[in-house]
Amino acid sequence: MSAPDVLLDVRELRKVYRTPAVLGRGGSEFVAVEGASFTVRRGETFGLIGESGSGKTTVGRMLLRLLDATSGYVEFDGYEVLRLAGPRLRDLRQRMQIVFQDSGSAFNPRLPVGEQVAFPMRKFRLHPESEIKSRVVDLLEHVGLWADQAQRYPHEFSGGQRQRLGIARALAAQPDFVVLDEPTSALDVSVQGQILNLLCDLQDERGLTLILISHNLAVIQHMCDHAAVMHEGHVVETGSVDELFGAPRSDITRQLLDAVLEPTAPAG
Amino acid sequence: MMQEPLLAVEGLRTHFSTEHGIVKAVDGVDFTIERGGILGMVGESGSGKSVTGLSILRLLESRNATIAGGRVLFDGEDLLTKSAKEMREIRGRRISMVFQNAMTALDPFFRVGDQLVELIRLHQRVDRRTARAKALEALELVRIPEPGRRLSSYPHQLSGGQRQRVIIALALACGPDLLIADEPTTALDATVQKQIIDLLLEVNRELGTAILMITHDFGVVAHTCRTVAVMYAGRIVEAGDVRRVLETPEHPYTLGLMRAVPRVKSGGRRRSDRLHQISGSPPVRMADAEGCAFAPRCPEAVQRCSTAEPPRIGFDAGHSVLCHQRLPITEAGRVSA
């Protein structure tokens, strides 16, 4: 059992990809995540930091059972996530949601977006059918879109609006935990601020616990309480964001911090 | 005595014809780059910064795009009046370009060395052996480890950072006077980005290659350029000394952006200070658009902003903004790096 304020407890999570032996040549192994451990407290925003290929997205997907872990232990609110099956797993899927980096490709291009935001409501039987339409409209308006946009198709939205749609669809399931995988990396700076503010507001209103996956240290610094730094599949450092950024213990963290180009630093 | 600038772009206009009408992707852009200078051109997606770079090299004209006006004076000669053949002589040799996506800019079927040799022999009358020696030099210049071995590598065998170094080697192989770097580090990890930027700065310092640095990232601009031009909807809305523009911006757009960017080293943390928000998203400038393109998103906009063309207002030391709501201090200076 974990401490009561811990919502998510991840221990020694591991993911190994094996390529099969072909024509007499032996298969090989690739370790994507090697023994990742960290805990996420209820109501906080936890950052997963790292460069491309460091394993942060793989961790995020394993937590939600979108990807099978090779081994390890994940406890979410007392449930042993990696062992759940059937209705229990379905309950968990309702409580744990994800927002992808490119919400454009995460939506079906041939369905009106309103239908897609309604999908989790229907799937988890959260509201009677008669209410669904108005619930979708409420949700769209809540994330800064308009009611009449429910009839439109994904390509009719800008990048920032699509990210709002992704957030609306995740919230439609009424989750208490959301993984945000690079939610603003594809957005223009002027739009990034809107989305980050929206996420903060929603978290405050709904008491959400968030995992924010990002390579952007400034975004992590702004949003997160605690964070883990990943490098080549390993968690090299965890701690409060103040500690990590103020007094990094790992060389990897230090290198990441050194590489940040602040917009006000003196020119060359 | 003022030397003639290497590049002087005057009133450049590039239009695209689309099914919705004419889009003014570049709508009257003026700037100059001195020999050995670096100008940062920064803007969001669709602001016209890449189209400006492509227009200088005349790489757009086949695709429903027309250069509708202006002059591009390179070494005193207007590139817009050059023949296709003359442009081919200039591209790669006098002006070259580095693109964002190194994977698509390299040919996956040819070894790195062969791609370099081909380019060198296209522009210089040298035999294969000399070209190969020059190719090796080019790889050494961009600090690729084991350059001799890398000549026979295929692009997929290189890391993202190394591929970008090869692209830069290709761009520098013929010793151009001007390098147009279009988002050269956007696809790279932060630690690699810093190495590539340092490399470009070294090239600038040691070879005197002038650079037009096109980027959406103010951090990149702050670390590479002395002069910056901020683009919005096809126009330079603010320009001047980097430090002045980034630290005390005058245009409401630049001001909003600088307040909207979260920072690592600011100390003050998270929601307690909400991020500044600019509402809406960057627009596309249609031919019949009137007034200031930023007006619909501008917190300071008044009625004339959406009806009348904004004037260019000059401040100290070449700092200028395109805005109705700023008081003129000096006559508008030209952007110059």
Side-chain angles (χ1 to χ4, degrees):
Chain A
M1 270 302 281
S2 309
D5 68 328
V6 170
L7 180 67
L8 185 76
D9 186 2
V10 180
R11 288 182 218 162
E12 292 297 318
L13 194 60
R14 195 159 184 269
K15 178 71 189 177
V16 180
Y17 288 98
R18 293 192 175 88
T19 55
V22 179
L23 297 174
R25 293 171 64 180
S28 60
E29 281 196 348
F30 175 74
V31 182
V33 176
E34 180 61 276
S37 302
F38 55 88
T39 55
V40 180
R41 293 174 180 78
R42 236 172 258 279
E44 79 164 331
T45 304
F46 186 89
L48 274 182
I49 313 169
E51 304 212 309
S52 49
S54 60
K56 51 196 195 304
T57 292
T58 308
V59 166
R61 295 190 179 189
M62 285 193 286
L63 298 180
L64 299 192
R65 293 282 301 269
L66 296 174
L67 194 62
D68 286 328
T70 306
S71 63
Y73 175 85
V74 176
E75 189 182 308
F76 176 79
D77 205 16
Y79 293 96
E80 214 181 308
V81 172
L82 302 184
R83 298 199 165 194
L84 291 178
R88 280 279 174 79
L89 178 59
R90 199 164 76 156
D91 289 348
L92 196 80
R93 291 207 187 282
Q94 179 255 311
R95 295 185 58 192
M96 304 172 94
Q97 288 288 313
I98 185 165
V99 175
F100 297 99
Q101 170 171 353
D102 176 16
S103 286
S105 62
F107 277 84
N108 182 339
R110 291 162 199 277
L111 267 186
V113 297
E115 286 300 307
Q116 303 189 59
V117 171
F119 187 79
M121 299 178 181
R122 294 197 170 107
K123 158 105 182 155
F124 299 117
R125 300 177 205 283
L126 297 172
H127 315 288
E129 187 58 37
S130 58
E131 275 181 29
I132 285 199
K133 217 171 186 171
S134 67
R135 293 271 182 179
V136 167
V137 166
D138 287 350
L139 200 48
L140 289 182
E141 287 176 344
H142 205 87
V143 298
L145 297 166
W146 300 288
D148 61 356
Q149 288 177 307
Q151 312 308 321
R152 300 209 183 158
Y153 291 84
H155 73 267
E156 298 178 73
F157 294 83
S158 69
Q161 288 176 328
R162 280 204 285 256
Q163 216 47 307
R164 291 177 192 273
L165 282 174
I167 293 167
R169 185 175 58 181
L171 294 181
Q174 301 185 339
D176 37 20
F177 174 78
V178 181
V179 171
L180 308 159
D181 192 354
E182 301 275 8
T184 59
S185 303
L187 302 179
D188 279 315
V189 190
S190 71
V191 180
Q192 167 175 281
Q194 298 167 11
I195 299 297
L196 294 180
N197 283 342
L198 172 66
L199 288 169
C200 290
D201 292 346
L202 292 170
Q203 180 175 36
D204 292 346
E205 284 165 28
R206 298 174 184 231
L208 295 170
T209 305
L210 302 175
I211 284 191
L212 176 62
I213 298 173
S214 180
H215 68 278
N216 184 330
L217 298 195
V219 169
I220 294 280
Q221 155 102 341
H222 180 75
M223 298 286 289
C224 299
D225 306 281
H226 294 84
V229 180
M230 293 196 66
H231 180 69
E232 293 182 351
H234 295 264
V235 170
V236 295
E237 187 168 358
T238 57
S240 76
V241 164
D242 289 341
E243 286 163 14
L244 283 177
F245 288 39
R249 280 168 291 139
S250 152
D251 286 343
I252 301 293
T253 314
R254 217 166 291 129
Q255 280 166 22
L256 290 175
L257 281 168
D258 286 345
V260 173
L261 301 179
E262 291 269 63
T264 43
Chain B
M1 184 60 215
M2 283 279 283
Q3 209 191 351
E4 184 184 51
L6 178 66
L7 179 76
V9 173
E10 298 174 354
L12 181 67
R13 289 168 199 280
T14 305
H15 294 177
F16 286 94
S17 52
T18 71
E19 55 183 300
H20 305 293
I22 302 281
V23 170
K24 298 198 272 188
V26 176
D27 189 19
V29 158
D30 299 274
F31 63 89
T32 61
I33 301 181
E34 302 298 330
R35 274 158 225 286
I38 307 183
L39 174 70
M41 182 161 272
V42 66
E44 298 184 284
S45 48
S47 60
K49 55 194 192 303
S50 289
V51 176
T52 301
L54 293 169
S55 300
I56 292 169
L57 276 175
R58 303 224 346 243
L59 287 171
L60 280 171
E61 283 142 292
S62 57
R63 309 180 219 156
N64 68 1
T66 40
I67 295 181
R71 298 200 300 169
V72 176
L73 298 172
F74 179 70
D75 237 352
E77 293 180 46
D78 188 356
L79 298 185
L80 300 186
T81 62
K82 298 276 182 199
S83 69
K85 184 164 176 290
E86 288 169 316
M87 279 313 293
R88 277 199 298 276
E89 300 275 306
I90 289 166
R91 289 185 203 119
R93 181 147 80 181
R94 309 274 334 264
I95 307 177
S96 50
M97 190 150 180
V98 172
F99 296 94
Q100 173 175 349
N101 193 334
M103 204 53 203
T104 55
L106 289 170
D107 191 323
F109 292 109
F110 290 92
R111 296 174 196 273
V112 164
D114 295 340
Q115 300 191 40
L116 277 161
V117 165
E118 185 194 359
L119 178 98
I120 290 164
R121 294 197 66 195
L122 194 66
H123 288 295
Q124 301 172 20
R125 278 194 196 145
V126 292
D127 60 26
R128 195 153 263 286
R129 228 171 123 164
T130 317
R132 197 139 182 106
K134 282 178 180 272
L136 185 66
E137 260 174 52
L139 288 189
E140 282 167 355
L141 177 71
V142 297
R143 320 256 187 279
I144 285 201
E146 300 182 80
R149 217 164 66 91
R150 284 301 167 210
L151 281 176
S152 34
S153 297
Y154 287 94
H156 76 268
Q157 295 172 312
L158 307 175
S159 69
Q162 283 182 338
R163 262 181 239 139
Q164 200 57 302
R165 284 175 195 267
V166 169
I167 295 288
I168 294 171
L170 278 166
L172 296 176
C174 297
D177 301 308
L178 173 66
L179 183 68
I180 300 175
D182 189 359
E183 303 274 9
T185 61
T186 303
L188 303 174
D189 278 324
T191 49
V192 183
Q193 160 169 290
K194 189 129 189 257
Q195 295 162 10
I196 296 293
I197 282 183
D198 289 344
L199 172 66
L200 288 172
L201 288 176
E202 268 174 53
V203 164
N204 170 257
R205 242 186 344 256
E206 287 168 21
L207 306 182
T209 313
I211 301 178
L212 173 60
M213 176 71 80
I214 297 172
T215 178
H216 71 283
D217 187 333
F218 280 92
V220 169
V221 165
H223 284 261
T224 50
C225 312
R226 284 169 287 272
T227 316
V228 62
V230 181
M231 297 243 351
Y232 190 81
R235 291 181 176 173
I236 294 175
V237 295
E238 177 156 12
D241 174 73
V242 159
R243 199 179 272 222
R244 172 81 163 87
V245 171
L246 299 191
E247 286 176 8
T248 49
E250 295 286 349
H251 196 282
Y253 173 63
T254 326
L255 196 62
L257 275 185
M258 293 314 290
R259 287 163 61 199
V261 194
R263 311 215 171 165
V264 173
K265 286 154 193 158
S266 59
R269 220 165 61 76
R270 49 192 258 117
R271 300 80 182 276
S272 44
D273 19 84
R274 266 175 84 80
L275 286 176
H276 177 76
Q277 239 171 268
I278 302 176
S279 60
S281 43
V284 169
R285 185 91 172 148
M286 301 305 290
D288 55 0
E290 286 186 326
C292 171
F294 188 59
R297 304 175 77 189
C298 183
E300 300 179 43
V302 293
Q303 215 220 322
R304 69 177 165 180
C305 294
S306 41
T307 52
E309 289 294 313
R312 185 164 295 282
I313 307 296
F315 294 89
D316 48 289
H319 185 191
S320 70
V321 292
L322 197 64
C323 186
H324 281 293
Q325 295 292 76
R326 295 292 178 268
L327 292 171
I329 293 174
T330 62
E331 197 181 317
R334 286 170 55 80
V335 188
S336 183

